[in-house]
Amino acid sequence: MATAQEKATPNNLSNNPTASNSSAVPSSWAHPTADPFRNRPSVSALVSAVDSFPDPPPKTTSTTKGIPVMMRVQTCHPLDPLSAAEISVAVATVRAAGATPEVRDSMRFVEVVLVEPAKQVVALADAYFFPPFQPSLLPRTKGGPVIPSKLPPRRARLVVYNKRSNETSVWIVELREVHAATRGGHHRGKVISSKVVPNVQPPMDAVEYAECEAVVKDFPAFREAMKRRGIEDMDLVMVDAWCVGYHRETDAPSRRLAKPLIFCRTESDCPMENGYARPVEGINILVDMQHMEILEFEDRKLIPLPPADPLRNYTSGETRGGVDRSDVKPLQIIQPEGPSFRVNGHFIQWQKWNFRIGFTPREGLVIYSVAYIDGSRGRRPVAHRLSFVEMVVPYGDPNDPHYRKNAFDAGEDGLGKNAHSLKKGCDCLGYIKYFDAHFTNFNGGVETIENCVCLHEEDHGILWKHQDWRTGLAEVRRSRRLTVSFICTVANYEYGFFWHFYQDGKIEAEVKLTGILSLGALQPGETRKYGTTIAPGLYAPVHQHFFVARMDMAVDCKPGEAFNQVVEVDVIVEEPGKNNVHNNAFYAEERLLKSELEAMRDCNPLSARHWIVRNTRTVNRTGQLTGYKLVPGSNCLPLAGSEAKFLRRAAFLKHNLWVTPYVPDEMHPGGEFPNQNPRVGEGLATWVQQNRSLEEADIVLWYVFGVTHIPRLEDWPVMPVERIGFLLMPHGFFNCSPAVDVPPSASDLDDKDNGMSTKPIQNGVIAKL
């Protein structure tokens, strides 16, 4: 992912995220020692030298008395997403390692991602190689730290599908020397390892979906079936290839399979027509995605196409029965002094928060190294890595084809690979910083999603207020939040993923659901209890959306430290008796979750249940352990029987919270390859059977949250945004509320200079009423 130019309203920001990495450092930047290991350089000397010059040294080694200061320019932070050049090098390296021309030609590149380095390597980079230079991240050692002359080479991990042999392999490539001018065939990568992963199918690719649609539409029996339904123009037909899941032994990953859903538009000359308004049912198709062949075809039942719904389209100007919205007046958000955040590459600083932004084809947005600058206590870590690692959408209609609709949108498709370019439409206002994302396509080329990630500030209403009734004096503060987000489309649905950072130390994770319902067709006069009739011959099945947030926590922990634990808190009503003579007493009861099997927990709104991640060795001014608590929002569990087929692959949905000790390879709650996965409970449900200790550990939270969707007529033709999520809130982390430090807004001070570190956000239009 590369940074892109900011979009500003009304003016553009200058963008030079690498301005501090462009010119040479004078030869005076050196260390007067002879042995970098026996006579270690002074940390203060190194940091002051770095701070004295806005730019790092040139590519040639700079030495004084034989001491290497920097072997090469460190152009990429260890957590920066792979650049387009690095992806090209990784692909070329793997392709060149193919044993025969046939093997090389049959390689399809599903995913190329950064191999994230050990946390200690990240700490070293942040301490001495990249601004703002934080030596405190590393533990103190006798005689001072050993500072290497360069960081380890970056590595890429590739998932490769062999279209000829139907094999999936995983490769690790070391990226030793990468230039933006890399050309095909000229690469500087080194294969570190490769292995074939048996009995799996990797995620599907957009290229395969397009080929599947073409194959189905060209199949004679399919054309005949559509002709029976009055459709001869194949340009009207939409074929959405859905992964087959795992419902029976014939769905095993020995074959790469898809079961398409069919829809049909009404107008050939209307590219924005809502084609999902006319589902085609009664046709069963099974496609071999390896050979692009139809394996099964059956026209089981002639179900008439729903009539064209006059309310089916959602573009502006469509008739809505005389509804008039022309009275809405413009609302403009302006930041006359620019934004309050600062960006250096992928490093973000805002209102005492700092963190890094990453992006993967599977998860989409990743937030790294989240920390809060707390006055004299300095940089205080909160989390090492935050992301949404999986989502599952099971449908509640037992009829064909809907019982098969249980998509794993991250593991079977990829949230990041389906992300939008926000150049095509962004709902953010004010000054916006965009980041591009780079991916490999199925054939190994590099594709870029421009303006993929959006970073901006938002006014968020009131932060706090109090008025003294005796004096009549009042204090009020407005809330500001920093939002990082991306949006993706998976077939008919859109999902917006947001991380909000607040001035009071809160972090909010939010998912916004919108898009178009996945519909079914009804026979004349038919109704179904498993959905809502929204138009003649058209109904929307009930379904659920589940999301899994993986949070590698680090509350007051430096990299390499494992001093966190998780406490469950329930509010208990005191039993009547001598301690509760008025029958009004209740209190918060804590329980330490000592092991993984104890930490399989569910939400309980009746007891205000929440969970606190505490540091076992750091206390606040009252002697309590410092912590951050996970506060659930609205939530649910799967509304399916224990033997439901989709739960074989999604056993992680059975609980709202799971806790594990950090293990680098434990990243995907349903296993790395959920597509057609025949193994029961792979991933999180299997890992926790080790029942590892959590009493003092490097803690990873897995929070599963969802929503049950009973469709309404008001969800048609496009569903208004529905929001779900959760909060990470400081709990004894600070000695008092950080919100007290937030200065008044300019209007509260009668336009006097207030020296605010946050720059004002104003409504662009001020009207006198």
Side-chain angles (χ1 to χ4, degrees):
M1 182 173 67
T3 55
Q5 287 287 350
E6 289 91 337
K7 168 190 170 183
T9 305
N11 298 312
N12 285 336
L13 280 167
S14 62
N15 178 33
N16 190 12
T18 58
S20 61
N21 294 328
S22 58
S23 63
V25 168
S27 59
S28 59
W29 185 11
H31 301 284
T33 55
D35 187 335
F37 297 99
R38 186 167 54 195
N39 300 307
R40 299 172 179 88
S42 163
V43 171
S44 60
L46 175 65
V47 174
S48 62
V50 171
D51 288 338
S52 299
F53 301 100
D55 309 307
K59 292 185 179 182
T60 56
T61 304
S62 174
T63 62
T64 294
K65 297 185 179 181
I67 299 304
V69 176
M70 191 72 69
M71 295 293 291
R72 291 181 51 80
V73 172
Q74 301 293 326
T75 56
C76 290
H77 186 276
L79 292 176
D80 283 352
L82 294 178
S83 66
E86 287 176 313
I87 293 172
S88 295
V89 165
V91 168
T93 301
V94 169
R95 184 169 274 147
T100 65
E102 290 76 17
V103 170
R104 294 192 287 272
D105 291 343
S106 61
M107 285 181 172
R108 299 295 182 266
F109 295 86
V110 177
E111 182 178 280
V112 182
V113 296
L114 174 74
V115 176
E116 295 178 10
K119 296 178 182 181
Q120 290 84 348
V121 173
V122 176
L124 178 65
D126 289 337
Y128 300 117
F129 287 84
F130 291 89
F133 304 107
Q134 304 165 80
S136 63
L137 287 172
L138 295 179
R140 294 181 179 180
T141 57
K142 186 177 181 180
V146 176
I147 305 172
S149 59
K150 62 178 179 179
L151 296 171
R154 281 157 61 88
R155 292 184 173 185
R157 185 178 189 272
L158 298 88
V159 176
V160 181
Y161 174 68
N162 189 302
K163 195 168 177 63
R164 180 183 296 269
S165 66
N166 195 38
E167 289 181 334
T168 300
S169 56
V170 174
W171 300 67
I172 304 296
V173 172
E174 186 177 277
L175 304 167
R176 292 178 295 178
E177 188 173 337
V178 177
H179 304 287
T182 297
R183 296 291 183 263
H186 175 69
H187 56 86
R188 295 291 184 90
K190 176 184 178 182
V191 174
I192 301 300
S193 66
S194 66
K195 64 177 180 178
V196 173
V197 185
N199 204 31
V200 301
Q201 283 294 338
M204 294 290 186
D205 187 85
V207 170
E208 294 178 289
Y209 290 147
E211 290 178 358
C212 177
E213 181 173 63
V215 166
V216 170
K217 290 164 70 169
D218 198 45
F219 191 61
F222 176 75
R223 287 175 169 267
E224 187 63 31
M226 293 304 296
K227 188 179 295 185
R228 291 180 62 201
R229 290 159 174 80
I231 303 298
E232 298 191 30
D233 184 358
M234 287 295 108
D235 288 339
L236 297 175
V237 177
M238 297 163 44
V239 179
D240 281 8
W242 281 52
C243 295
V244 76
Y246 189 86
H247 296 266
R248 54 186 181 178
E249 291 184 1
T250 54
D251 295 334
S254 57
R255 301 181 298 175
R256 189 164 174 80
L257 303 175
K259 268 189 168 291
L261 299 179
I262 312 300
F263 303 89
C264 186
R265 295 185 293 114
T266 304
E267 307 170 53
S268 59
D269 58 349
C270 181
M272 288 296 290
E273 183 189 0
N274 182 2
Y276 291 109
R278 299 183 79 198
V280 179
E281 293 200 4
I283 299 177
N284 175 67
I285 311 172
L286 182 66
V287 180
D288 181 336
M289 300 292 280
Q290 178 189 0
H291 302 102
M292 285 300 162
E293 297 175 351
I294 307 295
L295 297 178
E296 296 177 10
F297 183 88
E298 184 180 2
D299 191 355
R300 293 175 174 174
K301 188 176 183 180
L302 181 59
I303 299 176
L305 283 175
D309 181 9
L311 301 180
R312 69 187 180 280
N313 291 334
Y314 49 85
T315 52
S316 60
E318 294 289 335
T319 301
R320 297 280 181 263
V323 175
D324 181 20
R325 296 280 191 177
S326 61
D327 58 339
V328 66
K329 301 297 190 295
L331 175 63
Q332 299 174 352
I333 305 298
I334 61 172
Q335 294 178 260
E337 298 177 24
S340 301
F341 57 77
R342 290 181 290 171
V343 179
N344 188 339
H346 293 87
F347 182 68
I348 313 300
Q349 295 172 288
W350 177 83
Q351 283 292 283
K352 303 184 182 182
W353 285 109
N354 61 62
F355 55 88
R356 288 190 173 275
I357 288 177
F359 206 85
T360 74
R362 183 168 183 151
E363 304 157 280
L365 178 62
V366 181
I367 307 293
Y368 296 108
S369 304
V370 179
Y372 192 93
I373 307 302
D374 187 16
S376 61
R377 300 186 71 170
R379 182 186 187 275
R380 301 182 64 190
V382 175
H384 176 71
R385 192 183 195 276
L386 307 173
S387 70
F388 297 97
V389 289
E390 190 56 274
M391 60 171 293
V392 184
V393 188
Y395 280 70
D397 187 342
N399 295 286
D400 192 34
H402 307 288
Y403 77 92
R404 281 186 169 273
K405 291 157 67 173
N406 42 71
F408 287 61
D409 286 336
E412 291 179 340
D413 287 285
L415 302 178
K417 291 184 74 171
N418 287 285
H420 295 180
S421 169
L422 297 176
K423 295 180 75 172
K424 299 179 180 179
C426 182
D427 61 350
C428 305
L429 299 174
Y431 280 89
I432 301 170
K433 167 67 181 175
Y434 288 114
F435 297 83
D436 296 343
H438 303 295
F439 305 100
T440 178
N441 60 30
F442 208 40
N443 296 315
V446 179
E447 296 184 359
T448 298
I449 302 176
E450 296 183 354
N451 293 12
C452 184
V453 172
C454 174
L455 172 73
H456 74 291
E457 292 177 283
E458 294 179 345
D459 179 274
H460 196 60
I462 189 172
L463 177 61
W464 61 267
K465 182 175 183 177
H466 180 67
Q467 179 170 311
D468 189 321
W469 65 270
R470 290 181 175 87
T471 65
L473 298 177
E475 288 282 339
V476 63
R477 302 292 187 272
R478 291 198 69 79
S479 177
R480 183 83 62 89
R481 70 181 184 184
L482 183 69
T483 295
V484 196
S485 63
F486 82 103
I487 300 174
C488 69
T489 297
V490 185
N492 53 294
Y493 257 107
E494 266 75 22
Y495 301 97
F497 296 91
F498 296 76
W499 292 97
H500 306 290
F501 294 83
Y502 290 85
Q503 293 164 302
D504 62 354
K506 282 200 309 286
I507 302 172
E508 181 183 9
E510 183 181 38
V511 180
K512 298 181 182 180
L513 300 82
T514 182
I516 300 173
L517 296 168
S518 181
L519 306 178
L522 297 173
Q523 296 273 24
E526 180 187 7
T527 60
R528 285 191 191 173
K529 65 179 181 180
Y530 307 109
T532 303
T533 301
I534 61 172
L538 201 59
Y539 89 111
V542 295
H543 56 282
Q544 295 180 289
H545 300 260
F546 290 101
F547 305 87
V548 184
R550 180 184 180 276
M551 294 167 280
D552 182 357
M553 302 300 291
V555 176
D556 271 332
C557 284
K558 295 179 181 179
E561 295 181 343
F563 303 147
N564 281 176
Q565 61 181 203
V566 181
V567 174
E568 181 173 272
V569 181
D570 285 290
V571 175
I572 305 298
V573 176
E574 184 76 80
E575 293 292 333
K578 64 178 182 179
N579 292 327
N580 189 19
V581 295
H582 303 292
N583 287 322
N584 70 314
F586 60 91
Y587 60 95
E589 182 177 79
E590 297 183 355
R591 181 168 77 93
L592 175 64
L593 303 180
K594 297 181 179 180
S595 66
E596 289 176 290
L597 293 180
E598 284 187 40
M600 298 160 55
R601 309 300 297 159
D602 296 326
C603 296
N604 185 359
L606 298 180
S607 66
R609 179 173 292 169
H610 57 276
W611 300 275
I612 305 174
V613 179
R614 284 185 172 153
N615 186 290
T616 58
R617 305 190 183 192
T618 306
V619 297
N620 54 35
R621 66 173 180 165
T622 64
Q624 299 171 344
L625 297 176
T626 60
Y628 254 77
K629 68 179 180 180
L630 191 164
V631 182
S634 61
N635 209 335
C636 61
L637 288 169
L639 297 172
S642 60
E643 299 302 315
K645 297 295 186 183
F646 76 90
L647 287 177
R648 291 173 54 97
R649 300 187 294 147
F652 55 86
L653 296 184
K654 295 180 179 179
H655 296 286
N656 296 127
L657 181 75
W658 308 72
V659 186
T660 61
Y662 170 75
V663 175
D665 293 337
E666 294 182 358
M667 288 294 298
H668 310 295
E672 183 174 6
F673 301 104
N675 186 14
Q676 297 178 239
N677 187 1
R679 296 167 291 279
V680 179
E682 187 170 49
L684 195 51
T686 298
W687 301 332
V688 299
Q689 296 305 313
Q690 302 170 74
N691 204 24
R692 294 164 291 191
S693 174
L694 301 173
E695 292 189 64
E696 189 173 62
D698 188 349
I699 292 293
V700 178
L701 299 179
W702 308 76
Y703 183 61
V704 181
F705 59 107
V707 60
T708 301
H709 194 185
I710 311 299
R712 314 167 298 158
L713 268 68
E714 292 83 358
D715 292 328
W716 183 251
V718 66
M719 192 180 81
V721 164
E722 186 165 2
R723 296 170 171 85
I724 57 173
F726 60 91
L727 292 173
L728 291 173
M729 300 179 66
H731 188 92
F733 190 79
F734 301 106
N735 287 327
C736 68
S737 172
V740 175
D741 298 330
V742 175
S745 63
S747 58
D748 292 329
L749 295 176
D750 296 326
D751 297 325
K752 294 179 181 178
D753 181 15
N754 56 36
M756 290 191 297
S757 61
T758 51
K759 299 175 183 178
I761 294 178
Q762 303 172 355
N763 288 334
V765 178
I766 301 176
K768 294 183 178 180
L769 301 180

